[in-house]
Each structure stands twice: as C-alpha cells, then as structure tokens.
Amino acid sequence: MAEVMEQLSRKVDPEQTLVDVDTDQIDAFYFFAPGEVLDQQMKMAADTRADQIAVFEVSHPDEARKVIESSLAAMQQQNANYFPEEADKLEHACILNDGAVFAVVVGEQAGAVCSAGLK
C-alpha cells in the first residue's frame, strides 16, 4: 500500500502539495461497507481543489469499483455548483486496479497516470 501511494505521489504530486488524510476521515469520502477495506491511504489538496490520491486494499474487489465510482459521483455532485472545474476533475478521475488494490487519482495528471498504470 505505502509503495503504491509513494509511486503515485511522485507521478501526480512531485512538489508534495497534497496532505495525508487520517484513516478514519477517509470514510467521509469513500462509502465502503464496514470491514470491506483491509488497508487504505489518502492524500488530498488542503484547499478547494478536488485533487487527491487514494489507495485501498479491499476484501471484495468485484464490488470495489462500483463503490469508488459512486463515491466519486457524490463528490462531483457536491462540487458542481461551486467549483465546476473541480467537478470536471472528479468526472475524469483515474481508477487503477491490481487484484485487491485499487487506486484513485483526481487531478490534472490523472490521464497520464492512468495510461502508465500501477506498475
């Protein structure tokens, strides 16, 4: 998990402007069922930008993408009226998957990161 987060952080946020989110606060952004997430890490912008990197290790990978997509849709809806450019970033978020590990990248580098993949 930490290795995936470090790899994505170097690609997405080389100047380290994203800040760590406490594990218990990640649930406010991503709506996984209790016990579904085995491990998680998240970094996000400390200002009004929607930029973020989130990494999850889940027990049921077949359901995780749906949860991530609906969580991103909820964030997009919250931003739509006040920060339309940030809602657009959320709409074009990158979701990467390798087995039980999922990574979400929101921001200007999302497309390039998606093209490169997790490896």
Side-chain angles (χ1 to χ4, degrees):
M1 289 287 299
E3 183 180 322
V4 173
M5 178 58 82
E6 180 61 31
Q7 175 188 352
L8 291 174
S9 291
R10 281 194 308 267
K11 291 178 184 176
V12 175
D13 187 34
E15 296 173 16
Q16 299 297 308
T17 60
L18 300 180
V19 298
D20 291 324
V21 176
D22 290 335
T23 303
D24 58 340
Q25 293 178 327
I26 297 172
D27 295 340
F29 299 97
Y30 291 92
F31 316 123
F32 286 100
E36 176 62 22
V37 176
L38 305 173
D39 195 8
Q40 61 187 355
Q41 291 185 2
M42 183 175 179
K43 292 183 176 212
M44 66 186 311
D47 53 20
T48 58
R49 294 176 300 139
D51 296 29
Q52 63 176 267
I53 305 166
V55 181
F56 304 97
E57 182 179 2
V58 297
S59 55
H60 298 97
D62 51 321
E63 297 294 319
R65 182 173 290 274
K66 293 176 201 165
V67 172
I68 291 168
E69 288 172 349
S70 75
S71 298
L72 288 168
M75 287 184 252
Q76 181 185 1
Q77 190 172 15
Q78 289 174 338
N79 279 280
N81 291 331
Y82 302 105
F83 305 107
E85 64 283 351
E86 300 308 311
D88 188 58
K89 286 182 190 177
L90 288 156
E91 183 178 353
H92 295 96
C94 169
I95 302 172
L96 299 165
N97 173 233
D98 184 14
V101 175
F102 283 79
V104 180
V105 177
V106 177
E108 294 176 14
Q109 300 298 323
V113 171
C114 247
S115 296
L118 277 177
K119 304 280 177 178

